[in-house]
Amino acid sequence: MIKRVLAVLVVLMFSSCPCWASDEKAEDILKLLVITGSLEQAKDIVIYLAQAELAAVSESDDDISKQAIAIIEEETVKILTGQFAAGSPLVSELVNIYAEYFSHDEILEIIAFYESGVGSKMIASMPQIMEKSMLAGQMMGNSITPLLRDNILSRLQQEGIEVPR
């Protein structure tokens, strides 16, 4: 009976994802994720967001000691970093997602692009492009905040909704 249940579970597990990549294809997808810096960028973003949330909690709750915050941050970074290591469930799932949308030949073509001169330049330029793009978005957000606030307040008043000031 246990063997039958295990067999069914294995079948279900492998049938739930139509894109199990061959070992070679999976290795090349992982190579692509490393070459482009996608894993490192995703890890950095997740850690940054976790640290920002922790900083907000720290500022709003005086009952948490600085030592406790430091320990929480250290453990959070350690755990999150492990989630982006090769062979982790997350990375394996990312490999399967890429495998679903790209053939092995397409993955190899994408790798060839990123290993070319212009592809390497693109990878090297991405951090600066992202930083400037985020700054542009922040500036836009800051510039429209007054207009957005005024329009929302005006619309709420038109609809008869009282807004405390």
Side-chain angles (χ1 to χ4, degrees):
M1 181 65 174
I2 292 176
K3 287 181 181 179
R4 179 182 281 167
V5 170
L6 287 174
V8 170
L9 288 175
V10 168
V11 168
L12 288 174
M13 184 176 75
F14 283 101
S15 66
S16 67
C17 182
C19 54
W20 291 97
S22 68
D23 287 343
E24 190 175 319
K25 183 178 180 182
E27 287 175 20
D28 286 332
I29 292 170
L30 188 56
K31 179 180 179 180
L32 174 63
L33 294 172
V34 170
I35 288 172
T36 60
S38 297
L39 289 178
E40 194 65 28
Q41 289 173 356
K43 179 188 76 165
D44 290 347
I45 289 169
V46 169
I47 289 173
Y48 171 80
L49 293 173
Q51 288 172 326
E53 184 67 28
L54 188 56
V57 167
S58 174
E59 287 178 19
S60 68
D61 191 343
D62 294 334
D63 293 336
I64 302 176
S65 72
K66 292 203 182 294
Q67 181 183 11
I69 293 294
I71 290 170
I72 294 168
E73 181 176 352
E74 184 180 314
E75 291 301 311
T76 300
V77 169
K78 184 170 44 173
I79 295 294
L80 290 175
T81 297
Q83 298 304 306
F84 290 91
S88 72
L90 174 62
V91 173
S92 296
E93 185 60 26
L94 292 175
V95 166
N96 284 324
I97 291 168
Y98 274 73
E100 182 179 352
Y101 289 95
F102 297 100
S103 70
H104 192 190
D105 287 339
E106 290 169 330
I107 293 294
L108 293 173
E109 287 181 44
I110 296 168
I111 290 171
F113 166 74
Y114 281 117
E115 289 179 335
S116 72
V118 70
S120 295
K121 181 178 179 179
M122 183 174 179
I123 291 169
S125 303
M126 262 310 144
Q128 294 85 3
I129 291 170
M130 291 302 297
E131 184 177 331
K132 288 182 177 185
S133 298
M134 288 171 51
L135 183 59
Q138 185 179 25
M139 289 171 55
M140 184 272 307
N142 290 341
S143 70
I144 68 166
T145 297
L147 176 63
L148 185 60
R149 182 190 63 241
D150 292 347
N151 283 10
I152 290 171
L153 288 173
S154 174
R155 175 74 187 278
L156 290 171
Q157 287 174 348
Q158 288 174 6
E159 299 292 330
I161 300 172
E162 218 175 290
V163 179
R165 291 202 183 224

